[in-house]
């Protein structure tokens, strides 16, 4: 008998479509229309990254067994989180997309779940999705930390040479002192 | 649907956005989406109106009491003075061809970053205040009144436009949103709403000749510092001419390259090239800035800062000007110079003293782009090059908005690049040349506080870089603009980690074999050359 995750993989396109619609619902209506329409990966990188990440996640859930691991899912989540981390969302809004997968699964696979009484498996799948949400939170924080680091870096780079020239800072690594 | 347990998480928080007309969506200022306002002392120095301490997050922006009249009068004046502006206000048919062509929209999804809506921010006031029908129909005709919230909205969104002109490429009517942004920014200047990152460099440039306010002796000092590095790497001491009268050529480049990493390596590249050729060229500590933030300030300031370069060429008695790798300098030169300060009859049409090539395309401005100059040298076999020194780089090329869309400079930098590097890969067709994507930091938005929005706007560029990184192992993004050299490194770091950024002439400098140089073991960044990893100093 087919398991829930098998149905998930078999009907991945329907799940992905439902999930994509839900995620685009977190953007303004005009934006969603345009992003749905254009599928050139370079003219519409948001859609491209989202689709790549979402497919990886759905297929991954179909094959990962009980507990999802960050090595498999990290890169896929990154495709999406990295974008939403700098799109003016709050942290919860930025990472909520992962919970929308639950809704997409329920909506798309409900008939199968009822027919084959896959309720326990549904609970397991939803728990796995919860774990992904935690991974997503980690990635979100990494992105924001990166952003802060890039800002500091820019300030440093702007004045670095001038400070060195004015002998206001010394470059220890160049003298080979401290680092070894 | 009610058959299954309701998803709690979704009931508690509604993540969808409410459907609202753009006019009813309030402008929200958050750290990261705006640039800091102009400091009062800078405004005073520049003689600009309404100097004060304020922040976009304040409720009260302390506009002058009669700000509406001021803005409307200026608006009217602009409509009269610039025919194109009036046409742009009138002819948009809202076909939407431009809607998803702006990098800020593509990366962020804020509808007000669709060029058509960005322009509509201004156009709605134009209709509401100037057109009779709309006065009656109001919102139905897409018209509205000038209120303080409108000023706030303008400030946010016209300082979220890098004036890159990508959108205008797709408009069947040739509507140039960059021009509209310029107009809007000028209206905002009238009531004292502007950003410091533009005004302070403009003020500095006016005072000392460059954006950072480096004085002549310090500038010379920095040059010597870079010559020390070159000597260490090549064993040759270069003694460049500075403020020297009677040289054939005056060389002008952005000041960003003399003190900021990685621009300094491009600067070293120029020095090595000129040494290699024995070129009769001088640098100037007064015209020590190619960039022209006057372009983002006012007509008057742009003209003045541009005129300074020509005045210096005349003072030094140069025959023509060679211009370095800069973005908007070339926009000013190509689009405005001849009507503003031309013709520069005291100069001659650039002729390469090495190859004899006469650059007729530069006959009007008397100023030649270094990529054209170097490409011509290579074509005539005048450079002694060892491209294998750049073998650690797998490089791609970013077309900077201004040289690309402003002057059609596509082939020369690529030709140079292919001759100094053995591994060159193009990014996808719809992200380069005319269709190039902005770095997200043009038009004065390359400041640190705006980084988040810059990264948002940088997604389309970063995505294309990531593609060639994954596909070809590209690890270097070459460009011909000083602002790019500041904005692309963080962009790559975020979207395509592992890809560095260099100027074109940094790579030229690596490849050139100087007469009598020592055996080089490192590149200009003092990283080991390929195969030299074990060599000790
Ligand atoms: S000029 Fe560039 S930044 Fe401005 S609206 Fe057009 S595409 Fe966007
Ligand atoms: S492409 Fe031109 S005419 Fe069409 S909406 Fe944009 S600005 Fe208006």
């Amino acid at each position: 008998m087919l398991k829930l995750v098998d149905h998930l993989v078999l009907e991945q396109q329907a799940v992905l479509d439902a999930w994509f619609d839900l995620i685009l619902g977190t953007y303004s209506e005009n934006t969603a229309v345009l992003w749905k329409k254009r599928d050139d990966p370079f003219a519409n990188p948001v859609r491209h990254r989202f689709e790549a990440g979402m497919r990886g996640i759905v297929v991954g859930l179909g094959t990962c067994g009980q507990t999802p691991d960050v090595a498999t899912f990290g890169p896929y989540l990154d495709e999406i989180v990295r974008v939403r981390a700098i799109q003016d969302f709050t942290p919860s809004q930025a990472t909520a997309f992962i919970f929308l997968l639950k809704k997409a699964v329920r909506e798309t696979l409900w008939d199968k779940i009822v027919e084959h009484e896959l309720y326990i498996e549904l609970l397991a799948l939803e728990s796995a999705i919860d774990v992904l949400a935690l991974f997503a939170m980690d990635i979100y924080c990494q992105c924001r930390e990166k952003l802060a680091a890039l800002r500091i870096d820019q300030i440093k780079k702007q004045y670095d040479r001038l400070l060195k020239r004015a002998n206001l800072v010394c470059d220890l690594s160049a003298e080979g002192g401290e680092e070894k | 649907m009610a058959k299954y347990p309701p998803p709690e998480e979704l009931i508690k928080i509604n993540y969808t956005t409410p459907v609202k007309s753009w006019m009813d969506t309030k402008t929200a200022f958050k750290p990261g989406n705006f640039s800091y306002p102009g400091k009062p002392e800078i405004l005073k120095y520049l003689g600009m109106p309404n100097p004060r301490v304020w922040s976009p997050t304040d409720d009260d922006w302390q506009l002058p009491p009669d700000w509406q009249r001021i803005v409307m009068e200026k608006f009217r004046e602009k409509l009269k003075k610039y025919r194109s502006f009036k046409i742009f206000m009138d002819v948009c048919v809202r076909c939407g061809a431009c809607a998803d062509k702006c990098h800020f929209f593509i990366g962020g999804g804020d509808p007000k970053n669709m060029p058509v809506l960005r322009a509509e921010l201004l156009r709605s006031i134009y209709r509401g205040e100037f057109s009779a029908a709309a006065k009656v129909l109001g919102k139905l005709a897409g018209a509205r009144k000038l209120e303080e919230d409108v000023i706030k909205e303008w400030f946010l969104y016209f300082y979220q436009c890098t004036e890159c002109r990508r959108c205008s490429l797709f408009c069947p009517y040739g509507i140039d949103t960059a021009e509209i942004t310029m107009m809007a920014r000028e209206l905002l200047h009238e009531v004292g709403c502007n950003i410091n990152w533009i005004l302070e460099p403009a003020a500095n440039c006016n005072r000392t000749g460059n954006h950072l306010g480096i004085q002549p002796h310090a500038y010379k000092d920095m040059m010597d510092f870079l010559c020390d590095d070159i000597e260490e790497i090549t064993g040759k001491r270069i003694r460049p001419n500075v403020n020297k009268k009677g040289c054939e050529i005056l060389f002008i480049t952005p000041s960003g390259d003399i003190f900021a990493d990685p621009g300094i390596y491009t600067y070293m590249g120029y020095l090595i090239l000129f040494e290699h050729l024995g070129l009769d060229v001088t640098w100037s500590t007064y015209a020590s800035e190619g960039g022209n933030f006057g372009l983002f300030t006012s007509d008057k300031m742009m003209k003045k800062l541009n005129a300074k370069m020509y005045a210096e060429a005349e003072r030094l008695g140069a025959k023509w000007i060679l211009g370095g790798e800069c973005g908007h300098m070339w926009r000013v030169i190509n689009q405005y110079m001849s009507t503003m300060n031309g013709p520069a009859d005291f100069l001659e049409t650039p002729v390469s003293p090495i190859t004899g090539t006469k650059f007729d395309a530069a006959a009007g401005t008397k100023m030649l782009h270094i990529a054209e100059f170097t490409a011509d040298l290579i074509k005539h076999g005048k450079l002694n090059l060892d491209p294998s020194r750049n073998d650690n780089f797998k490089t791609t090329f970013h077309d900077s908005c201004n040289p690309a869309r402003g002057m059609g400079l596509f082939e020369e930098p690529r030709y140079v690049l292919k001759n100094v590097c053995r591994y060159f890969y193009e990014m996808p067709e719809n992200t380069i040349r005319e269709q190039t994507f902005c770095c997200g930091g043009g038009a004065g938005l390359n400041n640190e506080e705006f980084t988040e929005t810059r990264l948002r706007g940088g997604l389309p560029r970063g995505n294309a870089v990531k593609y060639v990184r994954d596909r070809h192992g590209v690890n270097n993004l070459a460009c011909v603009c000083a602002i790019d050299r500041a904005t692309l490194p963080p962009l790559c770091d975020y979207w395509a980690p592992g890809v560095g950024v260099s100027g074109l002439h940094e790579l030229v400098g690596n490849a050139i074999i100087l007469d009598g140089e020592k055996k080089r073991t490192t590149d200009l960044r003092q990283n080991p050359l390929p195969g030299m990893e074990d060599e000790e100093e």
Side-chain angles (χ1 to χ4, degrees):
Chain A
M1 200 179 88
L2 289 178
K3 292 187 173 160
L4 177 58
V5 287
D6 299 327
H7 291 294
L8 181 65
V9 173
L10 283 173
E11 294 188 38
Q12 54 173 285
Q13 198 52 51
V15 175
L16 286 170
D17 288 345
W19 190 18
F20 187 61
D21 277 354
L22 289 168
I23 295 181
L24 282 193
T26 64
Y27 296 90
S28 118
E29 209 189 22
N30 295 333
T31 305
V33 170
L34 283 173
W35 281 357
K36 271 183 211 170
K37 208 168 65 186
R38 190 170 297 280
D39 65 359
D40 180 286
F42 301 103
N44 190 2
V46 172
R47 169 169 168 176
H48 174 64
R49 287 186 64 119
F50 281 13
E51 283 182 342
M54 288 160 52
R55 188 172 296 280
I57 290 167
V58 167
V59 172
L61 283 170
T63 51
C64 76
Q66 287 285 344
T67 24
D69 63 302
V70 75
T72 309
F73 288 92
Y76 297 127
L77 287 163
D78 189 274
E79 291 285 327
I80 306 168
V81 179
R82 186 166 297 274
V83 173
R84 290 178 68 89
I86 46 91
Q87 280 182 331
D88 232 347
F89 289 118
T90 63
S92 71
Q93 287 171 337
T95 48
F97 73 91
I98 195 75
F99 295 117
L100 298 174
L101 175 57
K102 289 188 185 179
K103 190 171 174 173
V105 167
R106 291 182 199 179
E107 281 180 3
T108 317
L109 300 179
W110 187 250
D111 292 344
K112 295 270 176 340
I113 293 167
V114 174
E115 189 186 333
H116 304 290
E117 300 198 359
L118 298 171
Y119 304 110
I120 308 261
E121 287 187 23
L122 179 64
L123 285 180
L125 181 66
E126 295 207 342
S127 294
I129 292 175
D130 290 340
V131 174
L132 297 187
L134 296 175
F135 295 162
M137 206 57 209
D138 285 345
I139 297 171
Y140 176 85
C141 290
Q142 285 160 14
C143 290
R144 298 300 299 188
E145 273 163 22
K146 183 89 207 170
L147 169 63
L150 291 173
R151 289 184 60 178
I152 296 169
D153 229 44
Q154 174 167 358
I155 299 175
K156 270 204 212 140
K157 271 192 186 159
Q158 265 156 23
Y159 301 106
D160 198 37
R161 284 274 156 167
L162 283 181
L163 293 178
K164 272 192 199 135
R165 192 61 200 129
N167 280 327
L168 293 174
V169 290
C170 61
D171 188 350
L172 285 177
S173 62
E175 278 147 29
E178 300 255 298
E179 273 190 311
K180 294 193 182 137
Chain B
M1 290 297 282
K3 276 182 290 179
Y4 61 87
E8 303 293 339
E9 303 86 348
L10 300 168
I11 287 172
K12 282 198 201 112
I13 312 167
N14 180 9
Y15 294 107
T16 56
T17 39
V19 181
K20 262 197 238 161
S21 138
W22 67 267
M23 274 195 207
D24 302 320
T25 315
K26 228 173 131 52
T27 306
F29 289 92
K30 289 186 212 160
N33 76 0
F34 62 88
S35 305
Y36 299 150
K39 292 180 192 155
E41 62 272 21
I42 303 283
L43 263 70
K44 274 183 211 147
Y45 172 78
L46 291 170
M48 297 177 75
N50 200 17
R52 70 211 180 282
V53 176
W54 68 288
S55 163
T57 52
D58 295 344
D59 279 339
D60 179 5
W61 279 24
Q62 306 166 58
L63 300 178
D66 55 343
W67 66 269
Q68 271 148 317
R69 184 191 56 77
I70 298 175
V71 171
M72 291 321 297
E73 248 168 39
K74 194 74 187 176
F75 205 147
R76 203 165 288 129
E77 185 192 311
K78 297 255 162 218
L79 287 167
K80 226 187 247 155
K81 190 163 160 199
Y82 301 99
R83 233 182 88 77
S84 60
F85 182 40
K86 180 153 184 355
I87 294 173
F88 292 165
M89 286 292 104
D90 282 325
V91 302
C92 170
V93 294
R94 296 194 235 179
C95 68
C98 63
D100 61 350
K101 302 302 185 295
C102 173
H103 49 285
F104 286 116
F105 173 76
I106 293 174
D110 182 341
K112 286 181 196 171
N113 276 325
M114 294 178 189
V116 51
L117 264 197
R118 197 189 304 286
E120 202 66 17
L121 302 179
L122 208 58
R123 209 174 271 129
S124 56
I125 300 300
Y126 169 72
R127 286 199 209 96
E129 300 279 351
F130 295 114
S131 112
K135 273 184 186 156
V136 183
L137 288 170
K139 267 192 192 177
L140 283 176
R144 58 178 178 169
K145 288 277 164 208
L146 185 59
E147 279 152 12
E148 194 166 334
D149 277 346
V150 172
I151 295 292
K152 294 186 175 177
E153 194 177 48
W154 285 1
F155 181 81
L156 187 65
Y157 290 101
F158 290 116
Y159 283 100
Q160 280 191 7
C161 167
T162 48
E163 302 180 4
C164 75
R165 297 168 82 194
R166 186 170 196 269
C167 50
S168 71
L169 200 67
F170 298 89
C171 175
Y173 297 90
I175 293 176
D176 187 349
T177 305
E179 292 281 334
I180 296 178
T181 294
M182 286 181 184
M183 294 295 165
R185 288 187 181 186
E186 287 202 28
L187 299 182
L188 287 168
H189 279 313
E190 295 297 314
V191 289
C193 299
N194 31 41
I195 68 171
N196 203 60
W197 192 260
I198 289 177
L199 297 188
E200 193 162 329
N204 281 339
C205 199
N206 190 41
R207 202 163 12 206
T208 57
N210 56 62
H211 287 165
L212 207 79
I214 312 168
Q215 296 179 34
H217 60 283
Y219 189 91
K220 172 74 171 55
D221 211 34
M222 287 297 297
M223 277 181 99
D224 290 343
F225 192 45
L226 297 180
C227 289
D228 291 347
D229 280 359
I230 294 175
E231 188 172 6
E232 207 179 315
I233 296 161
T234 67
K236 289 210 61 168
R237 183 73 205 179
I238 294 178
R239 290 186 178 77
N241 298 321
V242 180
N243 300 336
K244 188 178 168 198
K245 289 195 174 170
C247 288
E248 184 175 353
I249 303 166
L250 168 65
F251 182 64
I252 301 178
T253 198
S255 67
D257 283 340
I258 196 171
F259 57 81
D261 202 324
I264 46 170
Y265 308 112
T266 300
Y267 200 99
M268 287 156 76
Y270 301 142
L271 288 166
I272 290 174
L273 174 69
F274 300 160
E275 174 73 13
H276 182 47
L277 298 171
L279 203 64
D280 187 17
V281 61
T282 184
W283 302 66
S284 162
T285 58
Y286 303 102
S288 48
E289 180 60 69
N292 188 335
F293 272 24
L295 173 66
F296 315 127
T297 310
S298 66
D299 289 3
K300 225 170 74 198
M301 185 51 76
M302 167 166 66
K303 181 173 158 130
K304 190 172 171 195
L305 296 182
N306 174 258
K308 172 202 71 184
M309 306 195 317
Y310 286 87
E312 182 66 347
E314 191 173 18
R315 184 183 76 90
L316 294 175
K319 285 192 187 148
W320 54 276
I321 304 173
L322 183 62
E325 297 179 18
C326 182
H328 64 276
M329 163 168 92
W330 291 105
R331 166 110 144 247
V332 174
I333 298 294
N334 281 287
Q335 204 175 333
Y336 303 103
M337 151 49 197
S338 13
T339 43
M340 241 171 14
N341 290 318
D345 286 338
F346 49 89
L347 296 175
E348 295 170 13
T349 299
V351 176
S352 171
I354 314 294
T355 65
T357 304
K358 191 172 182 194
F359 295 92
D360 287 317
T365 62
K366 314 288 194 285
M367 187 155 171
L368 180 67
H369 196 291
I370 187 137
E372 298 177 78
F373 180 70
T374 304
D376 173 67
L377 291 167
I378 294 176
K379 208 180 229 155
H380 286 86
K382 299 292 184 191
L383 297 185
N384 192 4
L385 298 169
D386 176 3
S388 76
R389 285 184 188 161
N390 283 317
D391 276 359
N392 282 338
F393 298 111
K394 289 194 161 71
T395 193
T396 187
F397 182 68
H398 165 75
D399 291 273
S400 308
C401 306
N402 286 311
R405 282 188 281 270
M407 65 185 290
L409 187 81
F410 306 122
E411 299 315 324
E412 291 85 350
R414 287 179 166 79
Y415 180 76
V416 173
L417 207 48
K418 286 178 195 161
N419 278 281
V420 298
C421 286
R422 297 201 293 182
Y423 305 105
F424 171 73
Y425 305 92
E426 288 281 14
M427 286 183 279
E429 212 42 55
N430 56 346
T431 72
I432 54 171
R433 298 174 196 264
E434 293 96 330
Q435 296 194 51
T436 186
F437 279 114
C438 183
C439 65
L445 304 183
N446 54 324
N447 56 67
E448 150 278 314
E449 66 266 22
F450 198 61
T451 305
E452 179 168 355
T453 311
R454 262 169 42 202
L455 290 178
R456 200 177 296 162
L459 169 58
R461 171 43 75 229
N463 179 55
V465 174
K466 180 170 174 275
Y467 174 78
V468 285
R469 182 199 69 181
D470 295 345
R471 200 180 159 112
H472 303 292
V474 162
N475 62 6
N476 186 61
L477 178 58
C479 61
V480 286
C481 167
I483 288 182
D484 281 340
R485 283 189 279 277
T487 54
L488 290 174
L491 183 153
C492 289
D493 217 6
Y494 191 84
W495 294 115
V499 181
V501 174
S502 76
L504 181 64
H505 279 77
E506 173 184 344
L507 302 173
V508 173
N510 277 338
I512 284 180
I513 303 166
L514 290 171
D515 290 341
E517 69 172 34
K518 69 170 193 188
K519 184 181 166 204
R520 289 196 209 180
T521 55
T522 71
D523 62 16
L524 294 180
R525 299 189 187 202
Q526 310 214 11
N527 292 326
L529 288 174
M532 302 279 186
E533 291 76 8
D534 300 326
E535 303 265 329
E536 277 299 317
E537 293 279 296

